[in-house]
Amino acid sequence: MSEPVFLPAGDTALVVQFGEAVDAAVNRRVRHLALKLRESEQKGIVDIVPTIRSLMVHYDPLETGAAALEAAISEMLHHEDAGEDAYRLWSIPVCYEGDCAPDLENVAREMELDTAEVVRRHAAEPLEIFMMGFLPGFPYLGLLPEEFDIPRLFEPRVKVPARSISIAVRQTTVYTVECPGGWHLIGRTPVEFFDPFRTQPILVAAGDRIRFEPVPAREYDSLRKAVEAGDYETVSEEVAQ
């Protein structure tokens, strides 16, 4: 594994960069370091912000400095555990038909596949959540097979429907609320990934994995009604390594 690079971010933050590429192993190193830092209760740390390939550590310069933090982090990395942690696996129904998938045919043409094969490949394996961001409860998942290495839309949409499943550059996401967006929409889930009225508003977390389960439009409508009525429970299980 490559050695991480320490980069200053002004006089109150330090970035630990683990690589240049989007990679599952690199992302696990980011998450492991974030966990170790939180558990260490290192003096002066104000906030810890993990991303796909780097970790930003915000600190109070009156209590610590970049050099002291770099030394402490380097010591943690020296004892780094490369193994995988246990994770939660979620089963998420998705409709890949009609209005739920406005870009599916264009994506299929780009990939030189039929739409059924695009769906099969998208849902073939559980995908790992690299990070949360952009919107409340919004997960970035990957990596999809290489044929999904499709750039974002040239012109983003003004409105993306909530719960839309999207793809771009070998990643897939779930738009948790209606908003503008520039990814290709290939499906929609009836499940709310963000609900401010739930005890736990955000459904999933970085490090979890999602298995997308294709469902026909009629079943999607039934599931959506069940979600709205509070009669649907999302299926998940703890997977030990």
Side-chain angles (χ1 to χ4, degrees):
M1 291 187 181
S2 60
E3 290 297 317
V5 176
F6 293 88
L7 304 169
D11 56 2
T12 62
L14 179 69
V15 174
V16 188
Q17 183 171 296
F18 286 86
E20 297 289 343
V22 176
D23 179 84
V26 166
N27 183 251
R28 289 184 196 118
R29 295 182 74 188
V30 173
R31 297 200 311 266
H32 287 171
L33 178 58
L35 179 61
K36 284 186 175 181
L37 274 175
R38 290 190 179 101
E39 291 175 344
S40 72
E41 298 182 352
Q42 187 75 25
K43 181 181 178 182
I45 292 179
V46 175
D47 195 12
I48 298 169
V49 184
T51 68
I52 291 177
R53 59 184 178 84
S54 65
L55 184 74
M56 176 173 277
V57 183
H58 295 269
Y59 61 88
D60 183 345
L62 298 179
E63 294 191 19
T64 189
L69 277 177
E70 182 173 336
I73 292 170
S74 295
E75 180 64 21
M76 292 178 189
L77 294 172
H78 182 69
H79 300 287
E80 187 175 16
D81 180 5
E84 289 191 48
D85 298 328
Y87 61 89
R88 181 157 291 279
L89 174 63
W90 298 84
S91 295
I92 301 296
V94 177
C95 177
Y96 294 91
E97 300 175 6
D99 292 342
C100 290
D103 295 331
L104 181 57
E105 290 190 4
N106 290 337
V107 167
R109 280 194 292 270
E110 181 77 16
M111 294 171 63
E112 299 182 349
L113 299 169
D114 60 36
T115 55
E117 183 61 16
V118 173
V119 171
R120 189 193 71 78
R121 297 188 187 193
H122 184 261
E125 300 289 341
L127 296 170
E128 188 168 352
I129 300 177
F130 291 154
M131 62 174 279
M132 308 292 291
F134 177 57
L135 297 168
F138 185 103
Y140 289 85
L141 300 104
L143 283 170
L144 290 165
E146 291 184 2
E147 55 266 30
F148 284 91
D149 192 11
I150 298 173
R152 295 170 178 82
L153 294 170
F154 178 76
E155 184 175 337
R157 282 182 172 85
V158 175
K159 288 184 179 181
V160 173
R163 307 181 315 281
S164 291
I165 308 297
S166 67
I167 64 105
V169 292
R170 294 188 66 190
Q171 294 182 66
T172 191
T173 63
V174 183
Y175 282 87
T176 53
V177 299
E178 183 182 281
C179 68
W183 292 45
H184 305 271
L185 309 183
I186 66 166
R188 195 178 305 162
T189 177
V191 174
E192 296 287 357
F193 274 61
F194 172 67
D195 181 351
F197 301 105
R198 270 195 316 241
T199 303
Q200 296 291 336
I202 293 175
L203 183 67
V204 299
D208 290 356
R209 299 186 191 185
I210 292 177
R211 178 190 292 116
F212 292 115
E213 305 279 0
V215 297
R218 182 175 297 178
E219 184 176 350
Y220 168 86
D221 291 339
S222 297
L223 291 172
R224 183 59 194 156
K225 289 176 182 177
V227 170
E228 291 174 337
D231 295 330
Y232 180 83
E233 185 174 346
T234 310
V235 177
S236 69
E237 60 180 302
E238 192 75 18
V239 178
Q241 292 291 326

